[in-house]
Amino acid sequence: MYQATLGQRGYRFGGLRQLMAKASPARSGDYLAEVAAESAEERMAARIALADVPLKTFLQQPLVPYEQDEVTRLIIDSHDAAAFEPISHLTIGDFRDWLLSEQADSAMLAQVAAGIMPEMAAAVSKIMRNQDLILVAKKCRVVTRFRNTIGLPGHLSVRLQPNHPTDSLQGIAASMLDGLLYGSGDAVVGINPASDSLPLLEKLNYMLGDVIQRFAIPTQSCVLTHVTNTLRLMERGAPVDLVFQSIAGTEAANRGFGISLALLAEAQQAALSLKRGTLGDNVMYFETGQGSCLSANAHHGVDQQTCEARAYAVARHFSPLLINTVVGFIGPEYLYDGKQIIRAGLEDHFCGKLLGLPLGCDVCYTNHAEADQDDMDTLLTLLAAAGLTFLIGVPGADDIMLNYQSTSFHDALYIRELLGLKHAPEFAAWLAAMNITDERGRLRDAAANHPLLLALQGERT
């Protein structure tokens, strides 16, 4: 039992799970799940009580039962006690103060990352303002490698997302080359296929691999199909760089995705055996999003932001090259408006970086949400200031296959110019060698005889 008093009124919370949910910032998904605070006053009382909870409590009181959930078992069994030791005496409130202190510099945050449980990260985020989330995330340094180096300070990568509603190879190639000429694609060239046809998926893999090889582009490709399809593609000898999978924070939700920890481990080992990386062996790419556990009725009464943080424990176990929260994609049933999407994006980025993950964000919304592109501009700017690892680049910001609004190649240009952010260094050198950027790293006008444009003309003929 936890309790707090505000004025003349006392509040009681039945357990840690309820306390965490009541302390969460207001969002439609938690109201839908009937776990949210009933008033702003109750929410503040929950935060006051949560601030006094020792970090050690989360090791002793799992929010999802150990016996019922393999994600909980992963979190508990893989907890690094030595890494946890420097902060083990703190309460949640003390932890916030420590994170904001000069003592918690980049080196120290990296040292303790393996000792931080996702529930601890979620709990401390609930008592932090937006500026706190930004400042602490900015101090976290997470670097990964496959064919280039992602996550260096002062750098921001872009996933080039050339989706097409009919998986037209020509249409995808056109969007891909368009993005490259805008300097996008250093995180990954990643296609969301409209079809699960294995022969088509194979063609997409070969096309991406051919372009990367033909132009010696220091980046990686990924066809974002189910992990079982990717395993079959590897068995057929397709040039698979990264293994993609959507993941969630409970075993039951992951079962709804058709996955388990064992299946992810099998796919990781298969990808590693291909040895396609030239600089590193981070071969996994994950996507997450607040509300996935609730939408599968697999949240165990846990609030949606804490479930999201638990998904990061799954990702951390597999040392991914990339992971991003598709923050507004599930819809207004879970994040109702621009304010809720902005807050969720900052929470997700903070929690992921604190746990030692290369967290990116698909800064996005669906057309029936109470949000618009101005809200996305705000979130993009805040996340980039917080050290975002990568964002999404979609032609015109309108994904014509997935039918949602994201960020564009132009948005990437804006944020690089505003904050002086650089491409992955190997990719930057390639852009200069291809005469796409000048000596200052700014875009040149592409001549009609540029090799990429000539390649596109060849595809059309």
Side-chain angles (χ1 to χ4, degrees), residues 2-6 9-13 39 41-43 45-46 49:
Y2 300 91
Q3 56 188 15
T5 301
L6 282 182
R9 183 172 180 181
Y11 290 87
R12 294 177 179 271
F13 306 96
S39 66
E41 187 174 273
E42 184 184 28
R43 183 173 297 111

Side-chain angles (χ1 to χ4, degrees), residues 295-436:
S295 67
N297 195 27
H299 60 295
H300 296 269
V302 177
D303 67 271
Q304 68 180 41
Q305 189 249 335
T306 301
C307 285
E308 170 73 4
R310 283 170 53 90
Y312 301 156
V314 176
R316 180 167 64 176
H317 184 65
F318 295 101
S319 302
L321 180 75
L322 305 164
I323 170 175
N324 69 273
T325 167
V326 193
V327 65
F329 183 75
I330 301 182
E333 299 85 358
Y334 305 97
L335 295 171
Y336 178 72
D337 56 16
K339 181 175 182 178
Q340 291 188 12
I341 292 172
I342 290 168
R343 174 68 190 191
L346 294 176
E347 289 170 347
D348 294 351
H349 181 252
F350 162 83
C351 288
K353 284 293 184 64
L354 195 61
L355 293 170
L357 285 170
L359 220 294
C361 183
D362 189 345
V363 178
C364 64
Y365 64 100
T366 56
N367 290 311
H368 62 310
E370 293 295 322
D372 58 27
Q373 211 65 37
D374 285 338
D375 294 316
M376 300 306 102
D377 287 349
T378 298
L379 178 54
L380 170 60
T381 305
L382 294 175
L383 284 171
L388 184 70
T389 300
F390 73 103
L391 58 95
I392 307 299
V394 176
D398 184 0
D399 191 302
I400 58 174
M401 195 283 282
L402 292 173
N403 196 28
Y404 78 119
Q405 306 303 310
S406 184
T407 45
S408 70
F409 307 141
H410 298 82
D411 293 326
L413 296 179
Y414 146 73
I415 202 65
R416 290 191 197 281
E417 178 71 18
L418 178 70
L419 299 179
L421 299 171
K422 302 176 182 178
H423 301 85
E426 301 84 359
F427 193 80
W430 178 82
L431 290 172
M434 290 291 290
N435 208 31
I436 295 173

Side-chain angles (χ1 to χ4, degrees), residues 103-132:
Q103 181 186 354
D105 58 14
S106 297
M108 190 64 186
L109 289 171
Q111 179 182 327
V112 303
I116 300 173
M117 293 173 59
E119 291 88 348
M120 298 173 187
V124 74
S125 75
K126 297 177 191 300
I127 64 168
M128 299 175 83
R129 293 172 57 184
N130 286 0
Q131 64 174 246
D132 300 337

Side-chain angles (χ1 to χ4, degrees), residues 62 64-70 72-77 251:
V64 181
Y66 182 94
E67 299 78 12
Q68 299 176 16
D69 187 87
E70 70 171 0
T72 298
R73 293 193 291 275
L74 174 68
I75 292 168
I76 298 296
D77 296 347
E251 178 181 346

